[in-house]
Amino acid sequence: MQPVERLADKLEAPSLDDRSYRVIRLPNQLEALLVHDPETDKASASVNVKVGSFSDADDMPGMAHAVEHLLFMGTKKYPKENAYSQYLTSHSGYSNAYTASTETNYFFEVSVNRESLDSTSPPDDESPLYGALDRFAQFFVAPLFLSETLDRELKAVDSENKKNLQSDNWRLSQLNKSLSNPKHPYHHFSTGNLETLRDAPRKRGIEIRKEFIDFHDKHYSANRMKLVVLGKEPLDQLESWVVDLFADVRNKDLPQNRWDGIQPYSEKEVLTQVFAKPVMDTRLLDIYFPYQDEEHMFTSQPSRYLSHLIGHEGPGSILAYIKAKGWANGLSAGEMDVCPGSAFFTISIRLTSDGLKDYQEVVKTVFQYISLIKETPPQKWIVDEIKGMAEVDFRFKQKSPASSFTSRLSSVMQKPLPREWLLSGDKLIRDFDVDAIIKAMSYLRTDNYRLTVVSQEFPGDWDHKEKWYGTEYRTEKIPPDFEAAVRKAGESTMKDRPAELHLPHINEFIPTRLTVEKKEVPEPSKAPKLIRNEEGIRTWWKKDDRFWVPKGNIVVTLRSPLAGVTPMNVVKTKLYCELVNDALVEYSYDAEIAGLAYELDHSLIGLDVHINGYNDKMPVLLEKVLVSMRDLEVKPDRFKIIKERILRGYRNNIFEDPYRQVGDFTRWLGREGGFITEQYLAELPLLTPEDVSSFKPQLLRQMHIEILVHGNLYKEDALRMSSLIESTLKPRALPELQWQVQRNLILPKGSDSTYVRTLGDPANVNNCIEYYLYVGYYADMELRARLLLFGQLTDEPGFDQLRTKEQLGYIVFTGAKMAATTMGYRVIIQSERSPEYLEERINAFLSMFAKSLEDMTQQEFEAHKKSLINKRLEKIKNLDQETSRFWGYIGSEYFNFLQVETDVAHIRSLTKQDLTAFFEHYIHPTAAYRAKLSVHMVAQSAPKQVAGNITPSEQKEKVLGLLTKYMTSMGFGVDEDKLASQFSNIDVAAGDQSAMISAVAEYLSEDADVPEEHSQQIIDQGQQLLSTILPSLGIEVQPLAESVEDLPPVPPVKDTSFIENVHEYKASLEATAGPRPLMDLSEFEESEPKL
C-alpha cells in the first residue's frame, strides 16, 4: 500500500490562531486538511465533491441535487436510513449539505465529549467524532440508494423546489440561466422536481434508481474529493482515523471538470435587455459582463480593484451620483464565479421609481465611470488600501462555528492554491499587478454586457414565461439609439462626463492603533460591570478578556415610550431611522470598508444604535451618527424615496414564505401590545415630511439610555462614550415608572384556539401552521429546563416522522419558543397539505411520542440530557457572539448573566419521571390542562376555498375526464361508461385517493384487459396525476391506503375555537407580570470609586 503523502505541515494563519494544521493525500488521491483545535467543544468534518448540477444529464435536471439527498438514506455499513442523524443528535450535533453548480458539499458537527454508549458504535469508538466520521465516510464508500426511500426523497427535493417557486432570488437567477447559451451547463435547471427526476424519466422507460447510482459511480471519485476534519484530538490521531475510514473511497482517476471552450453568453445573449416581473415589489437594474475565470489569479485578484471602485458608495462614486439624482438607493458590484473557465462581473443597482423611468441614464452613468477607471492607470495606493485592510482582517480573524469552517475550507481546497495558503489564499492580495487589472478592465466593454430590468410595473408587456419558475419576462436586443448612447458613455473623457464622478479619496478610517493589552485571567468574566447607574442612564462595560482582538462593540438602546405606542408612531420612528441612515451613506461607507460599521434601528421600546468593528476610530463614527440623529433635516425628495421604499417593504412582507410570516402572528396574539404589518401599511401613506420633522424632537426629548461597551475598550472609554451620547442628544431622563412593561398573555388551562390568515401571495401554493403549546412563565427555571429537554427529545424524531417519513413539507421545525415573559413548545410546518391536516399529523406525532418516551431507556434519557447540556455549554466563538449574549440578558430585563449555568444545573437534576409528568400535563394532545394556540396560514388556492365554486358531481366528472384523456394519451382506448361505473360508489370530493387508484386498477384488469406491466405504469402515473389535479379541483387529498397503515393514528382531541376578533380574544386573556431583575443590579456595580 502506498504511504500517505504530507502536503503541508503548517498553514499561514491569523495571529491569534491556536490551531495546528496538516494537509495529507491518501493513496486513493483523496486530499484532507486535518485541524487540531485544543480549545474546541465542537468537532466537525466536511467533504466537498467536485461535481454539481452542471454535470446533470440534460434530460434529468436536478440529478446532482437528488443524489445529495439520497446519500443520507442509508449505507451498506449503516443501512438504517436515519442512523446518521440519530447518532449526530445524540451527540449534540447536526448535519447539512448543499449542491452548487460544480461542487456538492456535505458537513456535520458533533460535541467533542462522549455522551452515550451507542450500541452501533465500533468497540474502539472513544470519540463522537470518530463515530460520526465512520458513518459519514460510508456516504462515499457504499451508499445504498434504498428503493423504499427513493420516492420520499424525490418528494423532499420537489418540496424544496416548491418552497423556492415564489422567491425572487431563485426566479431571477433561473431566468438568467434559462436565457443563457443552451450549449453551456449554466443553462440548466439545478434544483430538480418530481417531473424532471421521476415522472418524465419513467415515461421514457428509465429506471430512475439506476440513474442515480450511475451518477454516483460516474462522478464521485476520491480524487475529486476534499475532506476537512476538525477535532480536539492530536493530528496523528485524526490522520489515523481519516486513513482508516476514507481509504476505501474508490479512486476512478476522473479528470477535473472544466468548461473552457464555451461561455454562458454567446454573441446572441450579449447586447440584449431582459425585462422581468418579480413577485415582490422590487426595482433592480442588473448589468452582467462576461468575465475571465480568476481561479489562478489568487495573488492579485484584479476583480477586487474593480469592485472596490464601482461598488464604492462615498463621494465621487456611481451611487453617490445616481442617488443625488433620485435614481437609486443602493449598488453592489463584484465577480461572480460560474465554473472553471467562466465568470461574470455583475453590477446590481436598486432603483427608485424615477430611476426605473431613467434606467438608460443610470446605465450610461455606469459606463461613464468605467471610462474614468480605464483612463486612469491602476493606482497602487488603492490596491495598497485594499491589501492593507485584507491583511488586518485576516490577522485578527476570529473563529467561526466548526461546521462553517470545515464546509468553507473543503470548498476552498478545490481551488489551485498552494496548500500553505488554504486559510489565507482567497483573503489576501499579495501583488499589485498592473497588467492583470488592465486586462480585467477590458471585459467591461460596451459590446460585452446584458441588462436585466426588474419591476412589477415596467414595461408591463411581458410576453414570455420562464419554464421552471413561471417568471414573466420580455427580452430584446439593445435598441440602436440606446446602444450608441452607451458606446458614447464608454468612450467619454473628463470633459464629457459629470464632474461629480471621480475616484475615491484616501480612507481616513483605516485603523492604525491595533494594539491589544492582553492580561491573563483565571477565567473570563461572565458578566459586564455596571459602571454608571443613574436615573437617565445605565452603562455596562466589559474589557475583553477572552478574544484579544483590537475590536469592540457599543450597543445602545434609547428607551422612549413614544416609539411604539401606536402603529403610526412605529412607522414615524422607522421613517426617522431610515432617513438618518440615508443621510449617512456616503460618510459611513469609508468606515464600513475599514472594518467599522454602525446600525440604527427601531423597536417598540425605542431606538437601537450599534457600532462594531476596529475600536481605533469608533468614537469618531459614534459621534457622527449621534450628530446626524440630532440634526437630521427631513428633505422632501429623500422622504418621498424612503417612504416609498418602506411602503414596498411592508407590501413585500405579505409575499414572504408562509413559514417566515407565521411567527409574526403568533407573537402578536401572544403579547399584550404589538402590531402587525397591515396596521403599519394603513398609516404610512398618510405621513408627510412635516410629520417626521415634528416627531423627531418629541422622540429624542425624553429617554432612558442603556449602553453596553464591550471589547478592546477601557472603562474610561466607556464612560467617555456614554457622556458623548448624553451631551450630544441632551435628553431629559425618562423615569423608570414611565418605562413600558413587556408582558405576554397567558393561555388558559385546557384552551384550544385557532387563528386563520389567508396568504397575500395568490401564487404561493404552500400552507403553513405554527402549533404552539403554552408552558408557563419564562423565569420559572425548573419548568424552562423541562421544556428545553423535551425539545431535545423530540428534535430528531419530529423531523424524521413529519418530514422524512410523512413528507409533509420541506420546512419542519420543532422545539422551545421563548417570548419576553412566557415560553412554550412549538411545531412549524410549511406544506401543500391543509393546516387542518398538518394539525392532525402533529397531534398524531405527539401522541405517538408518548410510547417513545415510555420505552426510552435510562441510558438514552441520560444521553439526551448530556447532549442538551453540551449545547447549552457550547463555547462562544468570537467577540460579537459574547456581545449578543450580554445584550440579550440586558434587553430581557432579567439580567440573568448566569442563564447558561442555571439551565445546566436544572437540566442535570431532571429525571425521566419529570419529563413524563411534563409531557402528560402540557403536551399530550388529550391532556386536560393543555393550552394550545394554532396559527394557520392558508394559501389562496387552498382546496377549501376552491371547493366553493364546484359541486361534487362536477368534481367527479372532471376527474373521470382527465383520467380518460390521460389513458388515451398512453395509447389505450377508454370505455367511459365502464370507468364511471367503477367510480360509482367513490366519494371523489372526500379526496380518497386510495379508492380512486383501486377503481382505476379494477377497470384496467376487469374492463380494459390491460397487461399487468402496462397497468402498473398507468397506475403509478395516475397516482401522481391525481395528487396534482385533486387540489386544483378544491379537493383535499387523503394519504394513500398503503401509507395510511404506517401513519401514527390521530388521537381524539377537543374542538378548537376560532379567533374571529383579535381584540376580544386578547382582552379575554390575563397578562403575566413583567420581567424583573433576578439579581439586584448593585451586585454588578464596581466596588471601587468611579473614575
Side-chain angles (χ1 to χ4, degrees):
M1 183 177 175
Q2 294 177 318
V4 172
E5 185 181 355
R6 291 271 179 93
L7 302 181
D9 277 314
K10 191 173 183 181
L11 270 58
E12 186 175 38
S15 60
L16 296 172
D17 194 338
D18 59 356
R19 293 165 170 165
S20 51
Y21 302 90
R22 179 182 298 168
V23 185
I24 62 172
R25 185 184 290 129
L26 304 189
N28 62 1
Q29 300 303 298
L30 186 148
E31 197 175 302
L33 168 63
L34 313 174
V35 186
H36 163 60
D37 186 337
E39 299 299 321
T40 191
D41 56 350
K42 290 288 187 180
S44 177
S46 173
V47 165
N48 187 284
V49 188
K50 194 64 173 171
V51 64
S53 60
F54 278 15
S55 298
D56 289 347
D58 289 341
D59 58 356
M60 272 187 83
M63 286 184 75
H65 185 209
V67 168
E68 172 226 302
H69 274 250
L70 291 164
L71 289 199
F72 285 81
M73 295 292 110
T75 61
K76 188 174 181 181
K77 187 174 182 179
Y78 296 101
K80 186 179 175 184
E81 66 181 72
N82 65 334
Y84 175 61
S85 60
Q86 272 189 337
Y87 184 89
L88 295 179
T89 301
S90 69
H91 292 86
S92 312
Y94 68 93
S95 68
N96 211 334
Y98 67 81
T99 302
S101 299
T102 61
E103 63 182 36
T104 307
N105 193 290
Y106 303 83
F107 56 92
F108 71 80
E109 186 173 295
V110 286
S111 172
V112 299
N113 299 316
R114 181 152 181 74
E115 293 129 13
S116 65
L117 296 172
D118 192 305
S119 61
T120 65
S121 300
D124 62 340
D125 178 10
E126 298 177 353
S127 160
L129 174 57
Y130 181 88
L133 270 178
D134 184 23
R135 289 158 178 77
F136 186 55
Q138 293 304 307
F139 285 16
F140 314 102
V141 175
L144 289 178
F145 293 93
L146 293 168
S147 55
E148 59 267 32
T149 69
L150 183 63
D151 205 55
R152 285 208 312 265
E153 282 310 300
L154 294 182
K155 286 179 180 176
V157 170
D158 188 66
S159 182
E160 184 177 351
N161 178 60
K162 284 175 177 169
K163 173 183 72 72
N164 300 327
L165 286 177
Q166 293 302 104
S167 162
D168 280 326
N169 285 339
W170 285 90
R171 291 166 70 90
L172 296 173
S173 173
Q174 186 60 52
L175 179 62
N176 192 40
K177 293 178 179 183
S178 294
L179 295 178
S180 68
N181 184 355
K183 295 180 180 178
H184 193 283
Y186 182 68
H187 186 76
H188 283 179
F189 167 49
S190 58
T191 309
N193 58 32
L194 275 179
E195 176 64 23
T196 68
L197 294 168
R198 188 189 70 180
D199 300 342
R202 279 182 178 167
K203 286 178 185 174
R204 299 195 300 271
I206 291 173
E207 185 185 339
I208 57 173
R209 177 171 176 267
K210 183 177 181 299
E211 290 296 309
F212 298 128
I213 293 171
D214 288 348
F215 184 94
H216 187 273
D217 287 343
K218 180 179 178 181
H219 295 290
Y220 276 55
S221 173
N223 73 309
R224 282 185 173 176
M225 297 180 188
K226 307 298 181 186
L227 166 67
V228 179
V229 181
L230 183 153
K232 203 166 187 174
E233 292 80 4
L235 291 175
D236 288 344
Q237 180 69 78
L238 296 176
E239 180 173 328
S240 172
W241 288 350
V242 167
V243 172
D244 177 33
L245 298 173
F246 287 86
D248 290 337
V249 179
R250 283 179 56 206
N251 177 28
K252 301 158 193 172
D253 285 320
L254 299 179
Q256 296 303 313
N257 287 317
R258 291 194 65 85
W259 291 268
D260 292 304
I262 191 166
Q263 291 299 312
Y265 288 174
S266 66
E267 288 185 8
K268 180 182 175 184
E269 284 79 39
V270 294
L271 291 182
T272 58
Q273 54 184 4
V274 178
F275 299 96
K277 184 181 181 183
V279 173
M280 300 286 194
D281 190 359
T282 306
R283 290 187 293 265
L284 290 173
L285 168 64
D286 291 331
I287 308 175
Y288 291 85
F289 295 92
Y291 188 71
Q292 64 187 347
D293 173 15
E294 288 191 355
E295 192 173 60
H296 292 274
M297 301 179 186
F298 46 81
T299 62
S300 60
Q301 301 177 51
S303 64
R304 286 174 69 173
Y305 183 87
L306 300 181
S307 60
H308 176 78
L309 295 178
I310 295 172
H312 210 281
E313 298 178 12
S317 66
I318 297 171
L319 180 62
Y321 180 78
I322 58 178
K323 186 181 164 195
K325 289 284 189 181
W327 291 339
N329 288 313
L331 181 151
S332 60
E335 186 226 7
M336 179 181 118
D337 291 331
V338 174
C339 62
S342 304
F344 290 118
F345 189 91
T346 65
I347 302 171
S348 185
I349 301 168
R350 295 199 308 273
L351 298 173
T352 63
S353 55
D354 287 342
L356 181 65
K357 296 171 193 169
D358 288 327
Y359 81 93
Q360 294 187 0
E361 293 300 316
V362 176
V363 174
K364 284 163 27 180
T365 303
V366 169
F367 277 98
Q368 286 174 327
Y369 194 86
I370 289 171
S371 74
L372 165 67
I373 298 173
K374 287 182 176 180
E375 77 177 18
T376 310
Q379 301 292 295
K380 187 173 187 299
W381 72 266
I382 294 177
V383 173
D384 286 345
E385 206 173 78
I386 303 168
K387 181 172 176 283
M389 272 315 304
E391 289 167 355
V392 169
D393 288 341
F394 182 71
R395 178 182 167 193
F396 296 107
K397 182 173 171 55
Q398 298 171 79
K399 290 180 181 177
S400 55
S403 57
S404 299
F405 174 86
T406 58
S407 177
R408 195 185 82 81
L409 261 293
S410 66
S411 177
V412 169
M413 287 179 74
Q414 299 285 8
K415 298 180 179 180
L417 292 165
R419 300 296 90 175
E420 293 80 7
W421 291 358
L422 286 176
L423 302 177
S424 61
D426 62 343
K427 304 291 183 188
L428 300 182
I429 295 176
R430 301 168 195 274
D431 299 332
F432 172 50
D433 190 331
V434 173
D435 292 338
I437 293 172
I438 291 173
K439 183 182 178 185
M441 291 178 186
S442 72
Y443 289 90
L444 309 189
R445 302 192 311 273
T446 57
D447 63 348
N448 188 49
Y449 68 94
R450 180 162 84 182
L451 304 179
T452 300
V453 179
V454 179
S455 165
Q456 286 190 335
E457 309 104 31
F458 179 81
D461 57 346
W462 309 279
D463 53 4
H464 290 80
K465 276 196 175 184
E466 193 275 324
K467 177 178 180 180
W468 302 109
Y469 288 81
T471 305
E472 293 183 68
Y473 72 93
R474 193 185 91 201
T475 183
E476 64 187 24
K477 296 299 285 186
I478 300 285
D481 56 338
F482 182 26
E483 183 183 350
V486 169
R487 190 162 53 248
K488 183 179 177 183
E491 296 167 355
S492 63
T493 62
M494 185 183 296
K495 64 180 180 180
D496 303 320
R497 73 177 73 94
E500 296 92 332
L501 295 176
H502 57 79
L503 295 181
H505 51 66
I506 292 173
N507 191 343
E508 301 296 338
F509 275 99
I510 299 292
T512 53
R513 289 189 307 121
L514 296 167
T515 55
V516 179
E517 183 185 7
K518 186 174 181 179
K519 290 185 178 179
E520 295 299 331
V521 292
E523 184 183 10
S525 173
K526 293 178 179 176
K529 295 288 186 184
L530 183 56
I531 58 174
R532 279 189 72 179
N533 189 9
E534 302 161 17
E535 184 183 38
I537 188 166
R538 266 197 310 237
T539 303
W540 300 85
W541 162 75
K542 181 189 171 186
K543 173 75 172 67
D544 175 41
D545 55 4
R546 189 189 293 258
F547 302 106
W548 313 113
V549 289
K551 295 184 176 184
N553 285 294
I554 305 168
V555 195
V556 185
T557 285
L558 304 170
R559 185 188 295 267
S560 168
L562 284 178
V565 70
T566 65
M568 178 168 280
N569 276 19
V570 172
V571 177
K572 284 193 282 191
T573 307
K574 183 175 180 65
L575 274 163
Y576 164 72
C577 290
E578 291 300 316
L579 286 162
V580 174
N581 289 332
D582 184 66
L584 280 167
V585 167
E586 288 186 38
Y587 179 86
S588 64
Y589 186 74
D590 274 351
E592 184 181 327
I593 60 178
L596 182 61
Y598 88 97
E599 292 177 30
L600 170 63
D601 208 346
H602 71 105
S603 69
L604 291 178
I605 65 170
L607 302 171
D608 297 310
V609 182
H610 184 190
I611 312 283
N612 75 296
Y614 295 104
N615 59 275
D616 181 16
K617 309 286 173 53
M618 191 168 271
V620 178
L621 181 59
L622 174 62
E623 183 174 17
K624 180 66 175 179
V625 171
L626 294 169
V627 169
S628 298
M629 292 171 65
R630 183 193 67 195
D631 298 343
L632 175 71
E633 179 188 346
V634 181
K635 299 176 181 177
D637 59 335
R638 296 311 300 170
F639 177 86
K640 177 185 174 185
I641 289 169
I642 299 301
K643 176 181 173 180
E644 194 268 343
R645 189 171 76 197
I646 293 172
L647 186 64
R648 285 189 290 122
Y650 285 149
R651 287 173 178 160
N652 288 341
N653 180 262
I654 296 168
F655 285 78
E656 288 280 3
D657 285 326
Y659 79 95
R660 296 183 189 276
Q661 295 185 54
V662 70
D664 294 341
F665 294 104
T666 314
R667 282 187 291 273
W668 177 53
L669 293 166
R671 67 195 304 175
E672 195 174 39
F675 313 104
I676 54 175
T677 300
E678 66 184 40
Q679 293 169 293
Y680 302 144
L681 266 172
E683 303 295 342
L684 181 58
L686 307 175
L687 295 175
T688 66
E690 293 71 31
D691 291 325
V692 178
S693 293
S694 59
F695 180 68
K696 181 199 78 172
Q698 298 172 31
L699 183 67
L700 301 182
R701 183 174 295 137
Q702 188 176 24
M703 297 184 293
H704 178 267
I705 303 169
E706 186 105 48
I707 313 168
L708 169 64
V709 179
H710 178 218
N712 189 39
L713 296 155
Y714 291 90
K715 180 179 177 182
E716 296 88 339
D717 298 322
L719 291 171
R720 272 196 296 269
M721 284 189 271
S722 62
S723 296
L724 176 65
I725 297 170
E726 280 185 302
S727 63
T728 305
L729 299 179
K730 295 185 173 64
R732 282 178 54 217
L734 181 72
E736 193 171 10
L737 277 172
Q738 295 182 35
W739 294 8
Q740 309 96 310
V741 178
Q742 300 182 71
R743 299 180 193 272
N744 288 104
L745 301 173
I746 300 169
L747 298 188
K749 292 178 180 178
S751 66
D752 191 311
S753 302
T754 299
Y755 181 67
V756 180
R757 291 284 298 199
T758 302
L759 288 178
D761 182 358
N764 200 316
V765 299
N766 291 302
N767 302 293
C768 187
I769 182 173
E770 179 161 6
Y771 175 111
Y772 174 75
L773 301 175
Y774 174 82
V775 168
Y777 187 44
Y778 179 87
D780 185 334
M781 295 302 159
E782 177 67 29
L783 198 54
R784 174 184 161 94
R786 296 182 187 205
L787 172 61
L788 291 172
L789 184 53
F790 183 74
Q792 161 70 26
L793 295 178
T794 57
D795 181 28
E796 197 280 332
F799 189 87
D800 183 57
Q801 183 63 39
L802 299 173
R803 180 184 153 177
T804 305
K805 288 191 170 70
E806 298 193 29
Q807 287 292 310
L808 295 179
Y810 185 75
I811 301 295
V812 175
F813 299 132
T814 64
K817 181 184 179 81
M818 303 294 175
T821 58
T822 58
M823 58 188 175
Y825 179 79
R826 63 97 181 264
V827 181
I828 291 179
I829 304 175
Q830 179 174 293
S831 172
E832 289 183 82
R833 298 283 196 180
S834 72
E836 294 88 349
Y837 180 75
L838 299 178
E839 182 130 4
E840 288 182 351
R841 298 319 310 153
I842 296 169
N843 283 331
F845 163 69
L846 292 174
S847 179
M848 175 191 77
F849 189 76
K851 185 73 167 63
S852 302
L853 184 58
E854 180 185 344
D855 294 344
M856 188 177 293
T857 66
Q858 190 61 34
Q859 183 180 2
E860 291 169 332
F861 181 77
E862 291 299 323
H864 277 294
K865 281 173 57 178
K866 291 175 184 175
S867 182
L868 177 59
I869 287 169
N870 280 336
K871 287 178 184 174
R872 296 298 294 132
L873 292 174
E874 183 174 345
K875 289 182 178 179
I876 294 169
K877 301 296 187 294
N878 52 56
L879 185 72
D880 289 348
Q881 282 188 5
E882 187 171 52
T883 300
S884 295
R885 179 175 287 187
F886 286 158
W887 194 244
Y889 295 148
I890 293 168
S892 73
E893 299 183 59
Y894 291 106
F895 302 95
N896 188 6
F897 295 102
L898 298 178
Q899 179 76 70
V900 170
E901 291 76 8
T902 305
D903 284 345
V904 168
H906 282 89
I907 293 165
R908 286 192 199 282
S909 66
L910 291 177
T911 65
K912 185 181 168 186
Q913 290 72 25
D914 291 332
L915 262 290
T916 301
F918 172 86
F919 174 74
E920 291 175 350
H921 186 86
Y922 295 101
I923 307 295
H924 198 288
T926 61
Y929 294 101
R930 187 177 90 142
K932 181 173 77 68
L933 169 66
S934 285
V935 176
H936 293 182
M937 304 291 291
V938 183
Q940 289 190 30
S941 56
K944 278 198 170 183
Q945 292 173 305
V946 177
N949 303 322
I950 185 169
T951 66
S953 60
E954 289 172 329
Q955 288 171 332
K956 180 181 283 192
E957 183 181 337
K958 286 184 178 293
V959 167
L960 288 169
L962 287 165
L963 286 172
T964 298
K965 188 178 293 185
Y966 162 67
M967 285 188 276
T968 303
S969 72
M970 294 286 286
F972 300 99
V974 178
D975 186 323
E976 295 181 33
D977 291 337
K978 289 183 177 179
L979 179 62
S981 175
Q982 293 289 354
F983 272 71
S984 59
N985 295 319
I986 293 176
D987 183 2
V988 169
D992 191 348
Q993 189 180 181
S994 184
M996 291 181 233
I997 292 293
S998 296
V1000 171
E1002 290 290 322
Y1003 169 77
L1004 292 172
S1005 63
E1006 295 179 5
D1007 300 322
D1009 196 24
V1010 173
E1012 187 175 343
E1013 62 272 20
H1014 295 308
S1015 176
Q1016 190 57 49
Q1017 185 181 3
I1018 292 172
I1019 290 169
D1020 289 343
Q1021 295 298 319
Q1023 178 180 315
Q1024 177 61 25
L1025 180 67
L1026 285 171
S1027 67
T1028 302
I1029 64 173
L1030 293 178
S1032 72
L1033 296 173
I1035 300 169
E1036 181 64 43
V1037 184
Q1038 295 180 15
L1040 293 171
E1042 57 263 35
S1043 61
V1044 169
E1045 295 172 6
D1046 300 328
L1047 294 180
V1050 178
V1053 294
K1054 66 185 73 174
D1055 291 337
T1056 191
S1057 299
F1058 287 92
I1059 300 169
E1060 305 292 346
N1061 184 310
V1062 172
H1063 175 74
E1064 289 180 5
Y1065 168 76
K1066 293 172 80 166
S1068 71
L1069 303 179
E1070 293 183 11
T1072 65
R1076 298 181 300 280
L1078 298 182
M1079 290 175 63
D1080 193 296
L1081 295 190
S1082 63
E1083 297 285 328
F1084 300 105
E1085 294 179 358
E1086 289 195 310
S1087 54
E1088 69 266 21
K1090 296 173 184 174
L1091 295 178

